[in-house]
Amino acid sequence: MSLTTWQHKDLLDVSDLSTEEILYLLDSAKNFHEINQRPVKKVPTLKGKTVVLFFSEPSTRTKLSFDTAGKRLSADTFALGKSGSSLQKGESLKDTALTLQAMNPDIIVIRDSSSGAASFLAERLNCSVVNGGDGWHAHPTQALLDAYSLRDAWDGKFEGKTLLILGDISHSRVARSNVNLLTRLGVKVRVCAPRTLLPRYLDDWDIEIYNDLHKATRDVDAVMCLRLQLERQAAGLLPNLGDYATRYCLTQKALSFAKPNAKILHPGPMNRGLEIASDVADSNDSLVLNQVSAGVATRMAVLYLYGTRNDTSTVE
Ligand code: CP
């Protein structure tokens, strides 16, 4: 596939992209991954472009990898968080974003606790808006980097593979974006969680649903653990954390039902001993740190495609 122009102004969720565009983006990320292995990791592709990282919610991986990605492409990157900005004085999301736009950036990457925050800004701003995670809604670049990591581990194949997504499906933007993307690429997706952490609209998803971890892991090719958001216990959705860990922590025992060398993913940050056992997180089959490296390459591909969409030069 060769694109003369990238058709999209914004990246709000993976559902914005065709399957062909997703595969094109993953191929671009592979090229950027090779650049990231060089002694000098900087290319001039986005010289003169400005990328703003507008993160009103905490982040380590997404924020740092977008920042690294922008810098490796020679873009100027600037970060704005809740702490130290006028958001703390009560300035609205809209006014903050309009203020940023007046400085004429090319891309704003936004993370916010409100579902729909990215699309709210995209409707109002002329620059590209990339969703770095909005509430429970979507985390498109996480799903793209997860697909990249799995494709690498599975020698380029998605068809015929089975992935289990384990944990708090109900409140997870990572689960939502991954189910959408991976089922379209031919992966059979299972989810496993207590009933209180499964969303009500699961009928819309082409997945298998489990409540029993040992049944759920049977013959899977990979397991993606999700972070248990500890505030769910206060909301009465969990009996207690010890009971949750006994039933849903991914241990070597639970993994023994999966295919040999089944891969382990976690978007981070991990609660070791709660949703994932430490020896599983650190095992040879763990892709957790591969996901972080893939995050830089994938976000380089995203910044490249969205940052050059108005340029007259050819995108290949
Ligand atoms: N996976 C992820 O979004 O991690 P951060 O919250 O650290 O960005």
Side-chain angles (χ1 to χ4, degrees):
M1 179 181 182
S2 172
L3 300 183
T4 48
T5 53
W6 190 248
Q7 299 296 324
H8 307 280
K9 170 181 165 287
D10 308 299
L11 178 58
L12 304 179
D13 197 1
V14 286
S15 53
D16 299 344
L17 304 177
S18 67
T19 305
E20 194 182 26
E21 287 169 332
I22 287 166
L23 292 172
Y24 179 80
L25 202 152
L26 296 181
D27 288 341
S28 300
K30 194 169 168 58
N31 293 334
F32 286 117
H33 184 74
E34 281 159 21
I35 290 171
N36 288 336
Q37 309 313 308
R38 295 179 188 167
V40 177
K41 304 168 185 64
K42 205 170 174 100
V43 290
T45 317
L46 292 185
K47 197 166 169 49
K49 305 281 183 182
T50 306
V51 178
V52 173
L53 310 171
F54 178 20
F55 278 57
S56 64
E57 232 194 14
S59 166
T60 297
R61 281 147 286 266
T62 311
K63 186 173 170 187
L64 196 56
S65 61
F66 266 116
D67 197 14
T68 305
K71 288 186 165 80
R72 288 192 178 162
L73 295 171
S74 301
D76 297 311
T77 68
F78 301 95
L80 184 75
K82 195 160 198 166
S83 167
S85 78
S86 290
L87 285 164
Q88 261 187 330
K89 297 183 211 164
E91 188 164 31
S92 69
L93 185 68
K94 180 181 167 186
D95 284 336
T96 306
L98 290 172
T99 302
L100 292 174
Q101 167 145 303
M103 297 174 196
N104 203 18
D106 298 281
I107 301 176
I108 294 181
V109 183
I110 176 170
R111 168 167 294 190
D112 195 88
S113 57
S114 306
S115 301
S119 99
F120 176 85
L121 290 195
E123 283 166 17
R124 288 160 178 81
L125 303 186
N126 300 325
C127 67
S128 289
V129 173
V130 174
N131 187 358
D134 63 328
W136 303 348
H137 171 236
H139 197 346
T141 58
Q142 180 70 43
L144 288 164
L145 76 87
D146 290 337
Y148 181 99
S149 305
L150 285 170
R151 186 165 79 158
D152 200 37
W154 288 341
D155 297 326
K157 297 189 197 81
F158 290 111
E159 287 289 342
K161 300 290 187 185
T162 304
L163 169 75
L164 169 65
I165 305 181
L166 170 64
D168 183 359
I169 310 295
S170 195
H171 304 96
S172 175
R173 56 196 176 206
V174 174
R176 272 175 190 71
S177 291
N178 264 304
V179 167
N180 184 305
L181 192 156
L182 291 170
T183 52
R184 281 200 284 150
L185 294 177
V187 178
K188 283 188 196 142
V189 177
R190 299 177 183 177
V191 300
C192 179
R195 288 179 206 287
T196 49
L197 295 180
L198 287 169
R200 272 169 290 178
Y201 48 80
L202 278 170
D203 289 349
D204 299 344
W205 293 3
D206 184 15
I207 54 166
E208 292 174 11
I209 303 158
Y210 292 82
N211 303 118
D212 181 307
L213 177 57
H214 290 183
K215 287 182 184 156
T217 49
R218 192 168 297 280
D219 295 329
V220 297
D221 296 280
V223 183
M224 179 184 293
C225 299
L226 300 175
R227 183 174 74 88
L228 187 69
Q229 298 173 32
L230 300 177
E231 60 272 26
R232 304 297 161 224
Q233 194 187 8
L237 297 175
L238 294 172
N240 66 65
L241 298 182
D243 186 53
Y244 181 87
T246 304
R247 294 184 61 199
Y248 294 104
C249 183
L250 187 68
T251 58
Q252 293 289 3
K253 169 86 193 300
L255 260 182
S256 67
F257 299 99
K259 286 196 182 148
N261 300 113
K263 301 302 172 198
I264 316 303
L265 298 96
H266 194 303
M270 295 186 280
N271 295 304
R272 288 172 181 258
L274 183 51
E275 71 256 0
I276 185 167
S278 243
D279 59 345
V280 171
D282 298 333
S283 71
N284 289 338
D285 291 313
S286 170
L287 300 182
V288 171
L289 296 179
N290 304 50
Q291 289 172 273
V292 177
S293 304
V296 178
T298 306
R299 286 162 180 142
M300 285 172 84
V302 167
L303 293 182
Y304 165 60
L305 291 168
Y306 288 83
T308 57
R309 72 190 166 88
N310 289 326
D311 294 357
T312 46
S313 58
T314 303
V315 179
E316 288 181 351

